[in-house]
Amino acid sequence: MRWFRNKDTLYGFLVLLPSLVLLGVFVYGFILQTFLTSLTDWGRDPTQALSANPQINLIGFENYRELFTGFVDARFRQDLVNTFFFTLFFILGCIGLGLGLAIALDRAPRGEGFFRTVFLFPMSLSFIVTGTIWRWMLQPEGGVNQLPTLVGLPKGTFAWLTSRDQVWRFSWNDLPFFTGLTVGLVLLLVAIAAFRAGERKRGLMASVSAGVLFLWAFTLGRALKPLPYDELHGFNLAFIGIILAAVWQMSGYTMALYLAGLRGIPEELREAARVDGATEWQLYRHVILPMLAPITLSAVIILGHISLKIFDLVFAMAGADNAPTDVPALLMYLTTFRANQIAKGAAIGMVLLVMVALVIVPYLYRQLKGEVRR
Amino acid sequence: MIGRALQYTFLLLATLFFLLPVYLVVVTAFKEPSAISLSTTWQLPDRWYWESFAQAWNAFLPKLQNSFFLTVTATLLSAVLGSLNGYVLAKWRFPGANIVFPLMLFGMFIPYQAVLIPLFQFVRDIGLGGSLWGLILVHVVYGLPITTLIFRNYYAEIPDELVEAARIDGAGFFGIYRRIVLPLSLPGFVVVIIWQFTQIWNEFLFAVTLVSSPANQPITVALAQLAGGEAVKWNLPMAGALLAALPTLLVYIFLGRYFIRGLLAGSVKG
């Protein structure tokens, strides 16, 4: 139908217009404004922060520089490390448990409906409810730590959310090196996959990029030091409890995704594999799991962007002020609304946005590309 | 045989993992405050004590009312707008729709921390600061991408021939919507309403930043404050958590099928 051919199409546009304007302002307008705010010194002078007409000066990217290389913002850098480890284990947990549950349910057990309901119900709860419950579950002297005593074993001693232990420590100055190394390794895997699939050009591109990155990591990356001293960061063990609660809440989601995928695989395909003499293990390894790969990708991206934004669960479980379990989303809230460091808070918000956009934009592009061609 | 045994062992262990917290919430909520101690966490209450629920109910009733008003209003508004938007995008595609639609969708993934500061100022400047209406406005706007997406995909299933036939019969833009699209929309509305209801009821970030006065607090904020206070005995937060969870839990138990559809719509295929 041609656009504006008649007044019906005009109505269509007019109906859509208010939503477009609202989203334009509330999403893109406000993002722009946050960005501009992040370039100012708003809140550096406490007397100016809350005045009706604050004196605000542009200071360029100073807030960002401080976040990544400034002495006072070490907490933000630890928060980034926290988010990294939380995201990693949260995704692994949800994918592993979700896939296991989906396969177990797909093999038609008795009471399948009951099991499915049980595994998925936490999805309907608020992170605040989940957090409140698990806060009680993880009291160091009670809850989970008392469970072994029910079968006569000594009680657990892990301090859960109040733990102050940190493992896998590394210096912030090593970050460029590790980043180069990791991205290089990923590119190398891409290259191997491409060569196996017979795409020589793509494989060459990827392996050359990987080589350049390795070279950079071991030379310039090693020499690049964001801080003049070594600042150690690592995985805070207090996060184990939060990961546990988050997996409890969200693994039902991956289960539902995988179950929908498994149900979409035609029975004939499984039969054909069995007739060819494949064992059940081989059937899953070589037929079914490869077919679920696109679902894994979707799940990783959806779970990944949730975990980058995680806020309410941590707030409810450990409180806003428990430093070992801090995350950037929470720090943004504290910086802006408690400490009134508005420009710094805006900068943290923008860093979060960039991290989420890096994950979501390629995903949206891929998801919608096929459709646009149609 | 071994496979079967493994399968059931795994399922039962998983069930235990998912239901243990539920058991703990219930037994704690039913214990007298003096009977709650860390070492007897897992034991059943000696005497079932209902008083905590009465207390939690009294404390939380105004907050539950706030949440209901907020959730129902924002859900209905965003569902109606989503339906209209979805209808336009599915049946009246116009040049630029391929750019506009992804830009709309991006709005549902952003971390709201990246818009929170201007949003806070905006809501205050238009005089809705601290009120539930400000929160309703925010939930309607940021709910538009998902409601539009679900309805657009749903309406794409309605054959174009049906729309074309109605046009030939002289029906216009609104006529087609009222006589063809709307009567087929019930399942779409159920999915969208359930999804939005759950999301808005459970939401915390906007609620904690935009609503300053305690009288207007939604339930999630009240629960977080109650549980965060160190002095409180655990029977009250647990009873409160049950009350706060009940509406969405009931929706899930009775309309689970539609809930899962909303869940999958958020991730799979625009």
Side-chain angles (χ1 to χ4, degrees):
Chain A
M1 278 167 245
R2 272 211 56 78
W3 182 234
F4 285 143
R5 193 179 57 185
N6 53 39
K7 69 175 190 290
D8 285 343
T9 40
L10 181 67
Y11 286 146
F13 183 70
L14 289 179
V15 163
L16 199 57
L17 195 60
S19 300
L20 294 184
V21 171
L22 279 172
L23 282 173
V25 172
F26 276 65
V27 176
Y28 298 96
F30 286 174
I31 287 176
L32 183 68
Q33 206 175 331
T34 305
F35 176 63
L36 293 178
T37 304
S38 76
L39 301 180
T40 68
D41 63 352
W42 191 3
R44 281 180 182 240
D45 178 359
T47 55
Q48 291 291 326
L50 294 177
S51 73
N53 284 310
Q55 282 251 309
I56 301 173
N57 305 303
L58 273 177
I59 53 167
F61 286 85
E62 181 63 14
N63 286 313
Y64 295 92
R65 195 194 60 74
E66 283 184 359
L67 285 176
F68 287 98
T69 65
F71 176 70
V72 284
D73 288 311
R75 180 167 173 179
F76 172 75
R77 295 189 283 276
Q78 177 59 42
D79 287 2
L80 283 183
V81 176
N82 288 345
T83 304
F84 171 77
F85 284 114
F86 174 74
T87 303
L88 182 71
F89 291 118
F90 168 63
I91 291 179
L92 284 178
C94 285
I95 297 278
L97 185 56
L99 183 61
L101 293 174
I103 290 175
L105 285 186
D106 188 48
R107 301 176 64 76
R110 256 172 230 266
E112 187 207 322
F114 166 78
F115 285 123
R116 209 177 43 218
T117 308
V118 167
F119 301 153
L120 206 55
F121 90 88
M123 273 301 295
S124 70
L125 302 180
S126 165
F127 270 128
I128 298 295
V129 170
T130 305
T132 308
I133 298 173
W134 279 88
R135 184 191 188 116
W136 178 226
M137 287 281 286
L138 300 179
Q139 292 294 307
E141 298 298 321
V144 172
N145 275 355
Q146 288 285 349
L147 274 179
T149 63
L150 297 181
V151 289
L153 294 166
K155 83 178 176 63
T157 51
F158 184 52
W160 295 106
L161 301 168
T162 52
S163 165
R164 291 287 179 274
D165 295 333
Q166 203 176 52
V167 294
W168 305 327
R169 306 185 78 177
F170 62 93
S171 166
W172 186 252
N173 283 334
D174 291 335
L175 197 69
F177 171 69
F178 282 127
T179 312
L181 210 62
T182 316
V183 179
L185 276 176
V186 170
L187 280 171
L188 204 62
L189 287 177
V190 170
I192 292 171
F195 279 126
R196 273 198 176 166
E199 297 181 44
R200 280 206 50 209
K201 212 172 143 201
R202 220 162 66 103
L204 270 175
M205 281 281 284
S207 40
V208 168
S209 322
V212 170
L213 262 168
F214 283 138
L215 198 69
W216 178 87
F218 280 101
T219 55
L220 285 175
R222 265 275 175 236
L224 193 68
K225 296 217 181 296
L227 293 168
Y229 47 90
D230 273 336
E231 182 184 276
L232 292 182
H233 297 287
F235 174 47
N236 286 336
L237 294 186
F239 259 96
I240 293 177
I242 294 178
I243 293 165
L244 200 61
V247 169
W248 180 80
Q249 173 133 23
M250 298 294 299
S251 54
Y253 169 69
T254 36
M255 179 203 75
L257 281 182
Y258 280 125
L259 205 53
L262 285 167
R263 295 278 146 88
I265 297 175
E267 192 55 36
E268 297 86 60
L269 207 66
R270 300 170 192 231
E271 280 310 315
R274 290 195 186 105
V275 169
D276 286 344
T279 63
E280 285 300 289
W281 166 250
Q282 287 169 325
L283 173 69
Y284 277 95
R285 174 71 186 76
H286 296 291
V287 180
I288 293 181
L289 288 187
M291 293 186 77
L292 296 179
I295 296 179
T296 307
L297 184 69
S298 292
V300 165
I301 284 166
I302 298 293
L303 294 172
H305 102 280
I306 290 173
S307 83
L308 291 176
K309 297 195 291 192
I310 195 85
F311 169 80
D312 2 15
L313 183 66
V314 183
F315 194 111
M317 268 185 94
D321 304 307
N322 192 35
T325 54
D326 202 26
V327 286
L330 198 55
L331 186 64
M332 184 276 167
Y333 169 80
L334 294 177
T335 309
T336 312
F337 295 98
R338 291 250 189 101
N340 296 317
Q341 295 245 32
I342 297 155
K344 183 67 72 61
I348 301 175
M350 289 307 294
V351 173
L352 267 176
L353 178 73
V354 169
M355 294 197 304
V356 169
L358 283 176
V359 174
I360 285 296
V361 170
Y363 174 71
L364 273 182
Y365 180 74
R366 273 183 76 111
Q367 287 274 302
L368 295 170
K369 198 174 60 174
E371 232 180 89
V372 172
R373 267 204 220 111
R374 187 178 63 193
Chain B
M1 255 342 271
I2 299 171
R4 278 275 135 174
L6 263 172
Q7 182 192 5
Y8 280 102
T9 316
F10 177 61
L11 284 174
L12 288 176
L13 281 177
T15 307
L16 207 62
F17 171 63
F18 281 97
L19 290 186
L20 268 182
V22 180
Y23 169 82
L24 193 65
V25 173
V26 173
V27 297
T28 311
F30 278 105
K31 277 179 189 168
E32 284 177 77
S34 61
I36 297 176
S37 77
L38 289 163
S39 54
T40 59
T41 304
W42 294 97
Q43 286 167 21
L44 286 169
D46 297 328
R47 195 168 71 81
W48 292 79
Y49 176 81
W50 284 88
E51 200 53 32
S52 315
F53 285 95
Q55 274 180 35
W57 178 254
N58 283 333
F60 280 160
L61 187 61
K63 324 286 183 190
L64 288 167
Q65 284 167 336
N66 288 339
S67 273
F68 260 109
F69 175 67
L70 156 77
T71 307
V72 170
T73 315
T75 299
L76 291 181
L77 283 173
S78 63
V80 169
L81 284 171
S83 167
L84 285 165
N85 291 343
Y87 166 57
V88 174
L89 285 168
K91 293 296 168 215
W92 304 90
R93 294 180 69 92
F94 54 92
N98 292 334
I99 298 164
V100 167
F101 186 54
L103 285 176
M104 282 180 86
L105 281 192
F106 183 62
M108 79 186 192
F109 294 107
I110 58 166
Y112 295 125
Q113 275 83 358
V115 291
L116 206 51
I117 296 167
L119 182 68
F120 180 83
Q121 294 168 318
F122 178 81
V123 171
R124 192 190 53 199
D125 290 349
I126 59 170
L128 295 178
S131 85
L132 278 179
W133 285 104
L135 206 51
I136 289 171
L137 170 73
V138 168
H139 278 301
V140 170
V141 173
Y142 292 112
L144 284 173
I146 182 75
T147 59
T148 302
L149 169 73
I150 295 177
F151 274 115
R152 173 184 171 276
N153 289 352
Y154 183 74
Y155 291 149
E157 308 284 313
I158 299 176
D160 283 339
E161 293 77 35
L162 216 58
V163 176
E164 208 48 52
R167 277 172 67 86
I168 291 164
D169 289 347
F173 178 85
F174 292 106
I176 293 170
Y177 181 70
R178 215 176 46 238
R179 272 182 277 147
I180 311 262
V181 175
L182 200 56
L184 294 170
S185 293
L186 188 65
F189 269 103
V190 175
V191 171
V192 163
I193 286 175
I194 287 177
W195 181 252
Q196 282 296 86
F197 182 88
T198 314
Q199 290 301 303
I200 299 172
W201 182 274
N202 290 341
E203 202 276 338
F204 181 67
L205 176 63
F206 289 142
V208 78
T209 45
L210 298 179
V211 179
S212 43
S213 70
N216 290 332
Q217 270 174 358
I219 183 74
T220 46
V221 180
L223 179 63
Q225 276 182 2
L226 177 71
E230 294 299 330
V232 196
K233 271 292 189 176
W234 280 91
N235 58 322
L236 220 49
M238 290 300 120
L242 278 175
L243 287 180
L246 211 55
T248 51
L249 210 52
L250 288 178
V251 165
Y252 167 68
I253 289 170
F254 289 108
L255 296 161
R257 206 154 51 87
Y258 296 98
F259 176 76
I260 294 170
R261 258 202 247 167
L263 204 65
L264 300 181
S267 59
V268 180
K269 209 57 208 160

